[in-house]
Amino acid sequence: DAKTTQPPSMDCAEGRAANLPCNHSTISGNEYVYWYRQIHSQGPQYIIHGLKNNETNEMASLIITEDRKSSTLILPHATLRDTAVYYCIVRVLNNAGNMLTFGGGTRLMVKP
Amino acid sequence: DAGITQSPRHKVTETGTPVTLRCHQTENHRYMYWYRQDPGHGLRLIHYSYGVKDTDKGEVSDGYSVSRSKTEDFLLTLESATSSQTSVYFCAISEDLSSYEQYFGPGTRLTVT
């Protein structure tokens, strides 16, 4: 699975959009981009995933560049409860073990 | 939230003792996973199961064994705990191999002294 690069930390004001970038320049054609987050002392939580097209769900939007070498997770109206570590992962669906490998992630601090 | 529980939530044990961690799900999902999370290493897969009595090794399986005798339960055993196995252990489930999401339990913090 391709590796990802994320900034170690970011701040965001409550109520504003949080834009979390991720670089995955070695992504291959059959690898999906996934985002998970982990709130302190809890298990990771799935947020969203995509292959080529931009995606939106009730939690966030995912913008993937046309060359697929980078993506941005957007939390449209960040709240204090969105303070967490956000992980960008690229992996092949249906690979043996269906494993997730988390790197360092981005620690998002939402401030009042 | 997906129905996943882990027990115990916290455990302190001595080097050389056996330890079993339990993951219980009420979702009837086929796939279950055990991960460990350590500072600087992120989340790493230990073992996973793709059905009752069907298990396979993950990235860091040495020193661990697993068993799944029922769909709802996935046990992780440390036969002889070592200090390097001090970690936070997460169980996860997914409906099938094509599922995009894994749902994680609350974690077990294990300290081996």
Side-chain angles (χ1 to χ4, degrees):
Chain A
D1 292 340
K3 291 186 178 179
T4 62
T5 304
Q6 300 176 251
S9 64
M10 292 181 64
D11 290 344
C12 178
E14 187 178 19
R16 303 298 294 268
N19 297 281
L20 293 92
C22 180
N23 278 317
H24 32 79
S25 58
T26 60
I27 192 170
S28 59
N30 61 348
E31 287 183 311
Y32 286 73
V33 180
Y34 290 75
W35 283 83
Y36 278 73
R37 72 180 183 184
Q38 189 169 22
I39 296 169
H40 183 61
S41 297
Q42 296 183 21
Q45 177 189 22
Y46 165 85
I47 302 173
I48 199 167
H49 75 278
L51 182 62
K52 296 180 184 178
N53 301 321
N54 299 336
E55 302 288 344
T56 296
N57 63 18
E58 65 278 4
M59 288 183 69
S61 295
L62 174 61
I63 308 298
I64 302 174
T65 58
E66 192 169 343
D67 63 6
R68 302 207 327 122
K69 294 185 176 182
S70 66
S71 61
T72 302
L73 178 74
I74 301 172
L75 308 178
H77 305 286
T79 70
L80 298 179
R81 288 180 295 178
D82 292 322
T83 291
V85 179
Y86 288 77
Y87 297 98
C88 170
I89 303 151
V90 292
R91 68 184 183 97
V92 177
L93 193 64
N94 289 340
N95 71 327
N98 205 24
M99 64 184 73
L100 293 173
T101 301
F102 288 19
T106 295
R107 187 172 298 275
L108 176 69
M109 180 72 71
V110 180
K111 298 183 175 180
Chain B
D1 288 345
I4 310 170
T5 56
Q6 292 184 231
S7 58
R9 294 292 316 279
H10 301 271
K11 186 170 181 66
V12 179
T13 192
E14 293 185 349
T15 298
T17 59
V19 177
T20 295
L21 308 183
R22 180 183 184 234
C23 177
H24 179 79
Q25 60 144 330
T26 59
E27 305 297 321
N28 201 37
H29 282 1
R30 179 181 174 189
Y31 288 81
M32 298 185 75
Y33 312 81
W34 276 108
Y35 292 88
R36 61 178 289 175
Q37 187 171 36
D38 306 288
H41 291 280
L43 202 69
R44 294 179 293 174
L45 181 68
I46 305 171
H47 281 279
Y48 67 99
S49 169
Y50 46 97
V52 173
K53 294 189 169 53
D54 292 323
T55 65
D56 206 346
K57 296 178 180 180
E59 180 187 2
V60 290
S61 59
D62 288 347
Y64 301 95
S65 63
V66 290
S67 66
R68 190 162 177 208
S69 59
K70 297 184 290 185
T71 299
E72 58 266 34
D73 289 326
F74 192 32
L75 304 181
L76 177 70
T77 298
L78 291 66
E79 301 291 347
S80 178
T82 66
S83 59
S84 65
Q85 293 176 311
T86 292
S87 186
V88 180
Y89 291 85
F90 287 103
C91 173
I93 64 174
S94 67
E95 195 164 3
D96 53 41
L97 198 54
S98 63
S99 173
Y100 295 106
E101 308 176 35
Q102 289 189 13
Y103 300 98
F104 284 80
T108 294
R109 183 172 295 275
L110 176 68
T111 302
V112 184
T113 61

